[in-house]
Amino acid sequence: MKFSLSWVVGFGSECQGGRTQDPSWSDVESRLREVCKMSGSVTLETMSSSDFELLSLQVIADNGVFVMTLGEDDGEDYSVRHYFGDGEAGTKVDVLGDAVDASAVCTDFQVVVDIFSGFFEKGHVLRSLMA
């Protein structure tokens, strides 16, 4: 599976970013580490199509708080799955200026790496992690 990797480091007028085609895993992991240390986003998108395609995995990071979404296309419908965290549902957390339900927030960077690694290597993310 071929991917496109894009990233933004920082927030507002101070941000910088880029995009690369067909990244290696070390490229993806390096960008995750860079962005998740501070704030910003990393998006990994598939570049090929099939009958069932996972289109886009994204993490938005804000000083140790991570929100991950996975866009899926089943050929008939586009749906977005969210990370299923341990936070209290109904409680809001500010992530780069957006109010996010605490149940969708991750605070463990290794979980972010594991989810991106699974998507990169196997082309899927377990439903137990992202519903």
Side-chain angles (χ1 to χ4, degrees):
M1 188 176 303
K2 292 198 176 234
F3 292 97
S4 170
L5 176 68
S6 59
W7 64 93
V8 174
V9 181
F11 185 67
S13 63
E14 301 291 319
C15 69
Q16 297 180 3
R19 181 178 200 85
T20 187
Q21 302 296 321
D22 202 20
S24 68
W25 170 245
S26 64
D27 295 333
V28 175
E29 188 175 25
S30 173
R31 294 302 174 186
L32 285 172
R33 289 189 187 287
E34 178 184 21
V35 167
C36 290
K37 254 195 232 181
M38 301 169 59
S39 63
S41 67
V42 175
T43 305
L44 188 60
E45 299 174 299
T46 59
M47 293 173 41
S48 58
S49 61
S50 63
D51 290 339
F52 175 76
E53 183 177 65
L54 298 176
L55 292 176
S56 179
L57 176 62
Q58 181 178 59
V59 62
I60 297 171
D62 189 1
N63 296 311
V65 175
F66 316 111
V67 177
M68 290 177 280
T69 55
L70 175 69
E72 294 181 315
D73 185 354
D74 65 7
E76 293 180 23
D77 217 2
Y78 185 83
S79 61
V80 178
R81 291 168 45 192
H82 299 272
Y83 172 76
F84 186 69
D86 296 328
E88 184 178 336
T91 302
K92 299 297 180 188
V93 176
D94 183 303
V95 180
L96 293 183
D98 288 328
V100 176
D101 195 283
S103 66
V105 169
C106 177
T107 56
D108 185 344
F109 175 70
Q110 189 58 49
V111 170
V112 175
V113 171
D114 291 347
I115 288 173
F116 270 78
S117 175
F119 182 68
F120 186 84
E121 294 173 8
K122 299 173 184 157
H124 66 86
V125 176
L126 297 174
R127 288 214 174 260
S128 61
L129 293 173
M130 296 185 79

